[in-house]
Amino acid sequence: MRSQKLWLLTLNVTFNMVMGFILPVNMIFINKNLHQSATMAGFALMVYSGLMMVGNYLGGILFDKLSRKWTLQIGYIIAVISLIGMTFHHVWPSYFFMLSMLGFGMGISYTAINAYTAFVAEQTIGDSRVLFNNMYLAANLGIAVGSTSVGFIFEWSIFFTFFIPVIFFLLCLLIVFFKSATLDATNEEAEKTHEFTVSDEGVDPKVATGEKRYRLNLIILSLGVFIMWMGYTQWDSNMSLYMVNNGFSKKEYSMVFTVNAASLLLIQPVMNRIASKLFKLLKNQILVGIIIMGLSFLLLPNAKVYWMFIVSMLILTVGESMVFPTIPALLNKMSTTKNRGSLQSLYTIMGSLGRAVGPYVGSIIVMILSFGDLFYGITAAMILVALSLKGVKELEK
């Protein structure tokens, strides 16, 4: 089980390193290098994330119906082909097509990685939330390393900005090919003791909650994930233009993500201990965390010095450390072994939808109104969706 989790964490780190490479520079690259408008760049990223969402859905079906191993490999192969095209061909609109196909391939792989996490967590002896927390830290570490590195690499070489992710995904393909038996291994000890998560013979949360209330729970959580990622993804897209237009360099912009990852390694363990004592119900922890995330954007409209962006990111990090690992844990609490993968896919799909719409909607708000109005709107939306979590009926178990 230890080597299984290690390879899973490795795939997660590598995947998110590529995400860290692709997202921060694409808005700038499309706008400055390919000479497209900020609105068109936002539209391209929306389509990229939209096809990632389609890939998320298809990946879940392939994972259940076809093969765990081949689902990962199909996603990686599509992504590698797309990245090779993006490495050598910097012409619009063919670049837009390759970026879109990259999103589709990464969507398939991302769902497969999350489904593997649910598969392993299902067999974990003890608290399976530890695995979700570790995967979350791994994802943020990957994004931070990728985002920090690309700030330097993009200014040095556009070719290597896209070619390095090709190498990363080729390594992932080799891992899946040679270590598929390890990734697919089951924990016989857990199966014998039945000490893993929720068994089929246990109480079905849907029955215990009531079908209508259970459906309402999923709607509220889905809306919450969507709104959170709409706001959060501004840091990966429109924020780059905001900082560059205010005189900050691409390196300074990418360093914000380094602060995010480094501080998260310290903040999350502390917040986990504090939150476990303060909040009996997971939904209340998520509620407070979303409000903190929303309040972090209030510093940005008047941010004229670099430290204000750093403080905003630190406040955002405190909130996300309370929210992002806890939502999968709450969904896991609401599931049985028969629908655990489907509920985790719901989280992935709604996150992808938020990432798809966020950059484009943000760019439109900036074009019609201003960056300040965008940031105030994010704060208001996050507070409203946080308060709606009071309507979630969470079982105490």
Side-chain angles (χ1 to χ4, degrees):
M1 288 294 291
R2 180 172 296 180
S3 61
Q4 183 184 38
K5 293 176 182 178
L6 178 62
W7 286 117
L8 190 59
L9 287 168
T10 302
L11 291 175
N12 198 25
V13 169
T14 308
F15 181 91
N16 283 280
M17 283 179 66
V18 174
M19 285 279 284
F21 258 78
I22 297 301
L23 286 180
V25 299
N26 254 297
M27 195 78 176
I28 298 174
F29 181 72
I30 295 172
N31 182 242
K32 304 295 184 182
N33 297 73
L34 300 183
H35 309 294
Q36 302 299 311
S37 67
T39 303
M40 178 58 70
F43 176 75
L45 290 179
M46 182 183 73
V47 174
Y48 159 84
S49 294
L51 280 177
M52 178 176 280
M53 182 176 62
V54 175
N56 291 152
Y57 178 75
L58 180 60
I61 295 175
L62 293 175
F63 192 89
D64 291 333
K65 304 295 184 182
L66 178 64
S67 163
R68 301 186 189 106
K69 168 185 173 181
W70 278 106
T71 301
L72 268 176
Q73 289 184 327
I74 289 170
Y76 283 136
I77 289 171
I78 294 173
V80 166
I81 293 173
S82 302
L83 282 166
I84 290 174
M86 293 167 67
T87 300
F88 294 98
H89 191 68
H90 303 153
V91 179
W92 191 268
S94 53
Y95 178 89
F96 169 58
F97 172 77
M98 291 180 290
L99 178 66
S100 301
M101 293 310 299
L102 174 65
F104 179 67
M106 291 180 71
I108 294 174
S109 297
Y110 189 44
T111 289
I113 291 172
N114 284 334
Y116 260 119
T117 303
F119 169 72
V120 176
E122 189 176 320
Q123 306 171 74
T124 299
I125 297 176
D127 191 351
S128 63
R129 285 179 295 178
V130 174
L131 178 59
F132 287 109
N133 286 331
N134 289 339
M135 289 292 284
Y136 171 68
L137 282 173
N140 277 274
L141 177 62
I143 287 177
V145 172
S147 299
T148 303
S149 302
V150 78
F152 298 92
I153 295 172
F154 182 71
E155 293 187 355
W156 169 57
S157 170
I158 294 176
F159 172 83
F160 281 104
T161 299
F162 298 106
F163 187 67
I164 289 175
V166 172
I167 297 174
F168 285 154
F169 276 168
L170 286 175
L171 290 174
C172 289
L173 273 169
L174 292 175
I175 291 173
V176 176
F177 183 80
F178 288 105
K179 296 294 179 180
S180 60
T182 302
L183 291 170
D184 288 333
T186 57
N187 187 352
E188 295 180 0
E189 182 182 354
E191 290 177 349
K192 291 177 181 178
T193 59
H194 299 284
E195 290 180 344
F196 54 93
T197 59
V198 182
S199 68
D200 288 335
E201 293 77 17
V203 177
D204 188 338
K206 186 175 182 179
V207 175
T209 306
E211 186 171 351
K212 290 185 179 180
R213 193 61 183 272
Y214 185 82
R215 191 180 298 116
L216 178 62
N217 285 354
L218 295 181
I219 291 173
I220 292 173
L221 287 172
S222 297
L223 180 63
V225 173
F226 172 69
I227 294 296
M228 278 189 301
W229 275 109
M230 272 194 67
Y232 193 90
T233 197
Q234 301 307 317
W235 275 101
D236 296 324
S237 53
N238 292 297
M239 191 65 70
S240 61
L241 294 179
Y242 182 61
M243 292 187 67
V244 170
N245 291 342
N246 277 280
F248 298 99
S249 68
K250 299 181 185 72
K251 291 180 181 178
E252 288 175 314
Y253 165 67
S254 66
M255 282 299 295
V256 175
F257 294 92
T258 306
V259 172
N260 171 254
S263 61
L264 189 65
L265 295 175
L266 300 174
I267 290 173
Q268 190 185 10
V270 174
M271 291 308 301
N272 281 343
R273 291 189 177 185
I274 295 175
S276 62
K277 294 179 180 179
L278 288 179
F279 305 107
K280 185 177 181 180
L281 296 177
L282 296 179
K283 70 172 186 178
N284 291 332
Q285 177 179 333
I286 297 170
L287 186 156
V288 174
I290 295 176
I291 290 176
I292 293 173
M293 290 176 67
L295 293 177
S296 71
F297 286 88
L298 292 179
L299 285 175
L300 297 174
N302 299 311
K304 302 300 180 184
V305 291
Y306 189 61
W307 66 263
M308 294 186 72
F309 291 95
I310 298 297
V311 172
S312 175
M313 176 56 79
L314 288 173
I315 296 173
L316 182 71
T317 303
V318 172
E320 71 170 281
S321 70
M322 299 175 65
V323 173
F324 287 147
T326 313
I327 292 178
L330 179 56
L331 288 171
N332 202 41
K333 191 176 178 182
M334 295 167 57
S335 66
T336 68
T337 54
K338 294 180 180 179
N339 67 352
R340 183 168 291 109
S342 299
L343 290 189
Q344 293 299 328
S345 294
L346 178 66
Y347 173 68
T348 305
I349 290 170
M350 294 309 297
S352 293
L353 182 60
R355 286 189 291 270
V357 175
Y360 186 58
V361 172
S363 65
I364 291 177
I365 293 174
V366 169
M367 182 179 65
I368 298 176
L369 299 173
S370 67
F371 274 104
D373 293 312
L374 171 64
F375 299 140
Y376 291 133
I378 292 170
T379 299
M382 285 193 174
I383 290 176
L384 287 174
V385 80
L387 295 177
S388 72
L389 286 168
K390 282 295 185 181
V392 171
K393 182 178 180 181
E394 180 181 349
L395 300 178
E396 297 185 21
K397 62 175 184 178

